[in-house]
Amino acid sequence: MELGLVEGTVKLCEHDSEWSDEAARTIEYLKQLLKDQDILEYQHVGSTSINGIPAKPIIDIAAAISDESVVEKCKDTFEAEGFKYLGKVQDDDWMYYIGHPGQNDRTHHVHLVTAGSRTWKAYIAFRDYLNTFPDEAKKYEDIKRKAAEQNINKRKEYHKMKSPVIEELEKKAIEWFDAKDR
């Protein structure tokens, strides 16, 4: 299993079923590491959690937190383990990351996300929707491949190029998610 990507670069790897195993190990590690914090739930999210599509080899874990105060409470624990704080990356989402020691890479992202927020729902709905509807996952795969080819050393541009498709799919995913929960 390939894991890790130099900061700022883009490289897609074909889907690897070991990513799910690594996510499960990471979740168990985080449960022990943060056992004294208000973490309500952990979920494997991001492209490595979507079956059959390529992804940057970085494991994304979303941890549902009760409120923003948990972000500060986790800081010392994360830093002692080598995690770096990236800050607030979107509404209700604060991110830490870690990589291989001594290398300028990232292997894991940990998103602390307010439980019940739109951001939390979007992570779960997007993953579940694309795993349920392969044609929609293929649409996402196609834009990921095109964006990666054009932006190998420009991760921000890669994300910017994918954004319209992500927004479209996320909207569908949330509508589907809400409808199935009725």
Side-chain angles (χ1 to χ4, degrees):
M1 166 182 66
E2 184 170 342
L3 197 58
L5 191 60
V6 173
E7 194 168 340
T9 64
V10 177
K11 176 185 176 188
L12 298 180
C13 296
E14 293 306 313
H15 185 82
D16 189 330
S17 61
E18 289 184 44
W19 287 335
S20 292
D21 297 335
E22 176 61 20
R25 284 189 295 274
T26 302
I27 287 170
E28 288 308 310
Y29 162 72
L30 291 169
K31 284 179 179 179
Q32 290 303 310
L33 183 66
L34 302 173
K35 64 183 175 219
D36 297 329
Q37 304 304 331
D38 259 345
I39 309 295
L40 308 172
E41 180 181 356
Y42 294 90
Q43 292 283 332
H44 179 201
V45 297
S47 293
T48 60
S49 71
I50 302 168
N51 296 321
I53 71 166
K56 296 186 313 291
I58 301 171
I59 304 296
D60 283 278
I61 303 297
I65 59 174
S66 55
D67 61 62
E68 185 175 347
S69 69
V70 176
V71 176
E72 189 61 35
K73 292 176 189 173
C74 291
K75 190 174 184 183
D76 290 340
T77 303
F78 271 131
E79 287 179 356
E81 291 292 309
F83 284 83
K84 296 188 177 29
Y85 182 56
L86 191 61
K88 190 172 190 174
V89 292
Q90 60 181 324
D91 289 342
D92 298 307
D93 185 353
W94 299 264
M95 192 171 89
Y96 285 87
Y97 69 91
I98 195 165
H100 297 103
Q103 297 180 27
N104 185 27
D105 70 352
R106 296 179 183 188
T107 58
H108 297 76
H109 292 156
V110 178
H111 300 263
L112 300 178
V113 184
T114 306
S117 67
R118 184 191 185 286
T119 303
W120 178 261
K121 183 190 290 189
Y123 276 134
I124 307 309
F126 190 78
R127 175 201 63 202
D128 291 356
Y129 182 76
L130 294 184
N131 278 325
T132 302
F133 299 100
D135 290 345
E136 297 287 63
K138 177 70 171 122
K139 182 187 291 187
Y140 185 45
E141 175 182 349
D142 291 346
I143 190 62
K144 285 171 66 73
R145 288 188 188 279
K146 184 176 180 182
E149 287 170 11
Q150 294 179 16
N151 297 291
I152 232 163
N153 291 310
K154 299 182 263 178
R155 195 176 299 180
K156 286 182 182 178
E157 292 301 315
Y158 165 78
H159 287 291
K160 186 176 178 181
M161 191 171 172
K162 294 186 320 172
S163 287
V165 172
I166 289 172
E167 289 170 12
E168 172 196 334
L169 291 171
E170 189 176 271
K171 183 178 181 211
K172 288 180 182 179
I174 289 172
E175 288 173 2
W176 168 80
F177 190 81
D178 287 343
K180 77 180 187 81
D181 282 346
R182 288 186 195 146

